[in-house]
Amino acid sequence: MQAASHNVKKIALELGGKNPNIVFADADFTTAVDQALNAVFFHAGQVCSAGSRLLVEESIHDAFVEALVERTKRIKLGNGFDESTQCGPLISEEHRAKVEQYVEIGQKEGATLAVGGQRPDVPELQDGFFYLPTIFTNCTSDMRIVQEEVFGPVLTVETFQSKEEAVKLANNTIYGLAGAVWTEDLDKAEFVAAHLRLGTVWINDFHPYFAQAPWGGYKQSGIGRELGHEGMAEYTEVKHIYRNKQPEAIQWFK
């Protein structure tokens, strides 16, 4: 943005995110658990729209976390060319060190490490930049691991008791890229979706992208849009042309 300012170039910026994944008690439990895993651990969390903030209704929190942890332990790390691999490495040694630093920060902040939080000890993974899928519970919105983009396989879990509280927690971030809400109550889903300050909101899904739909964020997740008609408009300049079919003298300056 600074580089473009000296000659006023038009730009669009698609930046980072700290994306909420909101699960209500009336959601399809098994599907929501499965999608929560995919939301955060797909590409080892190296996705701008990763669902790295899980907000679970308090009444199902314990059961939901238990199911998440049990399945997270079974995620197979490995080479991306191996068809049995479910989660690959991080992009570099430097980035893995950054992820490890955030895990340390989370523990110091008082979050509970439920699973992961270290490099794998499997011999064949020692030459890659692998890191175990990690889940933190007992998280609060003032923690750095909740507010800052880790861009790795790290999930934070918070709880809420009402749709209003869920919206408040989800919006409590400098980012506003994407997020999801899981519920069988359409009215509740529409309420939450309408009040989330996000460029994209998925209802009962996570990570679907469409060429026909605009993509971009609010707040510090960027400006402008990609994809869809709005994305095409980013490459156009509007011109106004007026034609008077019956011109006549004004006679102001007689």
Side-chain angles (χ1 to χ4, degrees):
M1 182 179 284
Q2 290 176 335
S5 65
H6 75 281
N7 58 352
V8 201
K9 289 296 185 184
K10 182 181 178 182
I11 61 172
L13 299 175
E14 194 271 351
L15 304 175
K18 194 66 178 178
N19 312 286
N21 185 20
I22 304 170
V23 180
F24 284 91
D26 62 352
D28 183 299
F29 187 91
T30 302
T31 303
V33 168
D34 179 81
Q35 289 272 5
L37 292 168
N38 185 63
V40 65
F41 297 136
F42 182 68
H43 279 320
Q46 299 167 116
V47 183
C48 58
S49 57
S52 56
R53 291 182 62 204
L54 179 63
L55 308 178
V56 184
E57 191 163 0
E58 192 173 82
S59 61
I60 63 167
H61 170 271
D62 292 351
F64 202 90
V65 168
E66 181 181 357
L68 272 179
V69 169
E70 194 276 328
R71 286 191 55 177
T72 298
K73 291 178 180 178
R74 301 204 308 265
I75 293 176
K76 178 175 171 49
L77 276 63
N79 190 312
F81 291 103
D82 183 344
E83 292 187 359
S84 66
T85 293
Q86 297 173 317
C87 191
L90 295 172
I91 191 63
S92 67
E93 175 63 36
E94 292 79 11
H95 186 54
R96 181 171 63 176
K98 174 190 171 185
V99 172
E100 289 177 321
Q101 183 179 21
Y102 270 112
V103 171
E104 292 178 7
I105 290 171
Q107 292 175 297
K108 291 178 180 178
E109 288 179 317
T112 301
L113 183 62
V115 67
Q118 63 185 32
R119 302 180 185 186
D121 56 9
V122 181
E124 58 265 30
L125 299 180
Q126 299 310 301
D127 292 333
F129 309 127
F130 292 95
Y131 198 78
L132 290 175
T134 300
I135 298 177
F136 277 109
T137 59
N138 296 319
C139 297
T140 57
S141 59
D142 59 338
M143 293 179 174
R144 287 183 61 187
I145 56 170
V146 173
Q147 290 294 330
E148 299 177 16
E149 186 178 35
V150 178
F151 212 71
V154 178
L155 177 68
T156 62
V157 184
E158 303 165 77
T159 62
F160 64 87
Q161 294 182 334
S162 67
K163 62 180 185 292
E164 291 82 7
E165 184 182 12
V167 168
K168 182 179 179 180
L169 288 171
N171 286 336
N172 185 20
T173 170
I174 62 173
Y175 297 108
L177 185 57
V181 53
W182 293 84
T183 175
E184 295 299 313
D185 185 334
L186 182 58
D187 290 336
K188 185 161 55 180
E190 295 288 353
F191 173 90
V192 173
H195 287 81
L196 289 176
R197 294 282 297 153
L198 305 172
T200 293
V201 179
W202 299 299
I203 296 176
N204 294 331
D205 208 335
F206 208 104
H207 277 323
Y209 305 97
F210 306 97
Q212 307 95 317
W215 178 257
Y218 291 6
K219 299 184 280 186
Q220 292 188 34
S221 284
I223 58 173
R225 291 294 181 269
E226 302 172 62
L227 307 179
H229 291 292
E230 292 81 0
M232 294 295 291
E234 295 289 340
Y235 295 90
T236 67
E237 289 186 300
V238 176
K239 178 185 290 185
H240 170 210
I241 299 176
Y242 166 77
R243 176 190 175 192
N244 188 340
K245 293 184 177 180
Q246 294 181 319
E248 58 184 34
I250 298 174
Q251 296 295 336
W252 178 261
F253 299 105
K254 296 181 181 180

